[in-house]
Amino acid sequence: MSKVSKQKPNDEVARTVRRVAFRQRYRMVMAAPFAWLIALPLSAGIYLLPVHPAVAVLIAAATAVVPVRKAVQARQNVAAAAFGAAWLIATAPIGPTGLVVEVGVAGWLTFALLHWRRHRRLPLPGRAPVVEEEPLITVEQVALDPEVARIIARFNERLAAKGKALDGMTLTTPKRIDAGYRAEIRAVPGEKETKDIMQAAGKVASAFQTSTQLAVLEPSPSGDNSRALFTLLQDDTLAQVRRFEDVQPRIGADGRAHIGYFYDLAPAHWAFFTESGGMRHGIIVGDSEAGKSRSVETLLGLAHQSDKVATVLLDPQGGSMPDWNDRTHRCALGEDDCADELELWHWVMRRRVRHLARIPWVDEDGDERIGKTHLVPGDSDAGGMTGIFFVLEEAPELLTHDVHGKKAVATLASGAKTWRKGGGGIVLVAQDPNMTELGGSVTLRAQLRKNACALRTQTPGAAYQMGLPQDPSLLPATFKNGKLTQGLAYLSGIDRRAALMRWLYTEKPKYIARQPAAGQIDDLTMGWIEEYTRAKKDGREPRAGKRAAAGDEPRSTPGDVKAAIIDVLADADGLALELGELLHLVLKRRVTAPPSEIHTQLKRLVKDGRVWLVGKDGGEAYALPEEILERLETR
């Protein structure tokens, strides 16, 4: 930064100013008098010429043209010049005598006085001009970061030039962040989309002569489908191993837990549950040695230390999680035991749903209510009932099993749709998310994508199957320093990003597993487990329990409808949803209420300020205020 200041003139400058002022004053004040002094002899000379009077007039007129023209061009003394020209032309044939001279002198005095009054404020010669004090002017000159200039030049030359990968697109000025530089790539609206920019990730990395792990593209947080976020990292920010023990993360009151870091070192989270939707499912895929089991150990460690969640481990192979075998609340090893455990919990979850459908409670408006559409772990209205966190390790071993596979797939597909209401969250672990691995169930895969994590996969296609922006099969096996990339993954979930991250791993998982679990399976659920076990031991089917009047799903109350609306807006891909789309998504959540009731509760949410009415493409749309404020902060 430099400072440029206006200072007072020195003595030499002051003398020069005085001289210039004197000459200017003299010319301005004496111009009119001298003009008349010259006109008198000119008039006499023209009169004395031996020419005809008409010729004398022409000579006088030609003589007056020059001063009149100059006065008009300068826009000064025009009246004096016109008067002098008229006087000279009039006196040329008769001569400057008598009354004519008196008129000329009177005009000379009049215009001289007017000229003096107009210019009397000029500084007098010999006197220092008065220079008014001016405040110090400071001009900031911020030097352009050479790296920013280099990034812009490379983008324009190698990517945005005609015929290149990002032809015609523009790059905003990169901003410095802790990990490197960040900017936004903007396509021409209506011509290109975010996905077109994302597909050029390899070309972008090539243009900057780096890897796709250091030149990262992801959708813009603004939700604008003509833009993408571009981050150029200076080094492998995720190459450093960050330990679970050093961060000491926990499941928060909102159900989120810190599980790792995104490439820009922002914390990455896993949602075990939410207030508006209860327990959330998830899926983790990855090749051998990519870090699947270590990622599951992190999730089990978090659930083990939470008093709101109990854990159930299903391991068809029997040896995938040696540190956690028989150290979760319930554990099933081998295909047979896993199939039996799934059947048990499918029955127990139906009992929990029916129990929740009949519990009385009071909502935030003070209205008495009967029944809840889903369980939020630790809900005092439900007696502090805990959520059940299910982990199915090496899922294809069970889902493709000759004997148990078909039934297990059907049970999990149904459970993925209904267990959440009873407080059950499923995490499925596999090497690949294709239909063969998942027993052919599209429904199962779709229901588990609330938390979607893809480590390095063996075959391409996981990006499309899991709704991720990049192909995880392209993730490297090692970093530039030669260390393994275990835990490097693309994560999509509660952070509303689908970006590259790396998991926090426990140094010694057994130390956490050996500690007493903070939470327990609640007594009511344990009673149902014992009831089911006794019935099976006696060779009979356990009773289904009294059904609710409207089946497994109670009639939605205004509070349930409000919760569903907020949940849909929170899960929306864009910033806002139009009314028709919002109603459709709420009804898809099996909310047993007519559209008119949903519309009524939506208006109440807008009135209470919990939902904002915004414009979208000239129509009526709705969004959560926290979503709008959060995106404004990120810009």
Side-chain angles (χ1 to χ4, degrees), residues 159-239:
L159 294 169
K162 190 170 182 60
K164 299 295 183 179
L166 301 179
D167 186 355
M169 298 189 190
T170 57
L171 183 75
T172 61
T173 303
K175 295 181 180 179
R176 189 76 170 85
I177 60 174
D178 291 340
Y181 293 85
R182 171 167 286 166
E184 206 173 44
I185 298 175
R186 298 180 177 180
V188 179
E191 294 185 6
K192 296 290 183 179
E193 303 178 46
T194 298
K195 68 176 182 180
D196 298 317
I197 304 175
M198 303 294 294
Q199 289 172 356
K203 297 289 181 65
V204 172
S206 173
F208 289 93
Q209 297 176 280
T210 186
S211 67
T212 53
Q213 284 72 55
L214 298 183
V216 187
L217 294 176
E218 64 175 306
S220 173
S222 66
D224 189 333
N225 197 39
S226 66
R227 304 181 182 185
L229 203 63
F230 170 52
T231 306
L232 186 64
L233 303 177
Q234 293 182 315
D235 52 28
D236 274 331
T237 55
L238 300 179

Side-chain angles (χ1 to χ4, degrees), residues 168-407:
M169 298 189 190
T170 57
L171 183 75
T172 61
T173 303
K175 295 181 180 179
R176 189 76 170 85
I177 60 174
D178 291 340
Y181 293 85
R182 171 167 286 166
E184 206 173 44
I185 298 175
R186 298 180 177 180
V188 179
E191 294 185 6
K192 296 290 183 179
E193 303 178 46
T194 298
K195 68 176 182 180
D196 298 317
I197 304 175
M198 303 294 294
Q199 289 172 356
K203 297 289 181 65
V204 172
S206 173
F208 289 93
Q209 297 176 280
T210 186
S211 67
T212 53
Q213 284 72 55
L214 298 183
V216 187
L217 294 176
E218 64 175 306
S220 173
S222 66
D224 189 333
N225 197 39
S226 66
R227 304 181 182 185
L229 203 63
F230 170 52
T231 306
L232 186 64
L233 303 177
Q234 293 182 315
D235 52 28
D236 274 331
T237 55
L238 300 179
Q240 178 185 347
V241 177
R242 296 173 175 85
R243 294 293 181 187
F244 184 95
E245 290 80 3
D246 296 334
V247 179
Q248 292 292 321
R250 294 291 185 272
I251 299 176
D254 59 356
R256 301 196 312 169
H258 181 188
I259 61 166
Y261 290 92
F262 286 110
Y263 67 90
D264 56 1
L265 302 183
H269 297 91
W270 186 279
F272 285 82
F273 61 88
T274 63
E275 290 288 335
S276 59
M279 294 292 288
R280 290 180 68 136
H281 306 312
I283 183 171
I284 299 175
V285 299
D287 198 5
S288 299
E289 299 185 354
K292 294 192 306 294
S293 297
R294 298 301 305 275
S295 303
V296 173
E297 288 171 346
T298 298
L299 295 179
L300 285 174
L302 288 163
H304 193 76
Q305 295 174 327
S306 172
D307 61 354
K308 294 184 178 181
V309 179
T311 54
V312 176
L313 175 61
L314 308 173
D315 187 358
Q317 279 190 340
S320 303
M321 308 287 293
D323 290 322
W324 287 96
N325 287 348
D326 293 325
R327 294 190 180 278
T328 55
H329 292 88
R330 290 184 65 86
C331 181
L333 305 177
E335 294 94 335
D336 296 338
D337 287 349
C338 286
D340 292 341
E341 189 73 11
L342 275 179
E343 188 177 352
L344 178 151
W345 280 105
H346 197 48
W347 183 86
V348 170
M349 282 298 160
R350 290 202 298 270
R351 292 299 301 269
R352 283 167 65 111
V353 169
R354 288 166 186 159
H355 169 72
L356 291 168
R358 297 191 296 270
I359 62 172
W361 60 291
V362 178
D363 65 13
E364 67 274 8
D365 299 323
D367 297 330
E368 294 184 359
R369 311 275 295 282
I370 299 294
K372 293 202 170 187
T373 56
H374 61 268
L375 173 72
V376 177
D379 188 351
S380 58
D381 295 324
M385 187 177 284
T386 52
I388 309 298
F389 181 64
F390 298 90
V391 173
L392 178 55
E393 255 283 9
E394 298 297 342
E397 294 295 320
L398 178 63
L399 300 180
T400 60
H401 191 265
D402 293 341
V403 178
H404 305 297
K406 212 173 265 190
K407 187 174 182 180

Side-chain angles (χ1 to χ4, degrees), residues 594-610:
S596 59
E597 175 66 14
I598 298 174
H599 201 184
T600 299
Q601 299 308 322
L602 177 61
K603 288 183 177 179
R604 291 182 180 177
L605 287 172
V606 171
K607 183 178 180 181
D608 294 340
R610 297 171 64 186

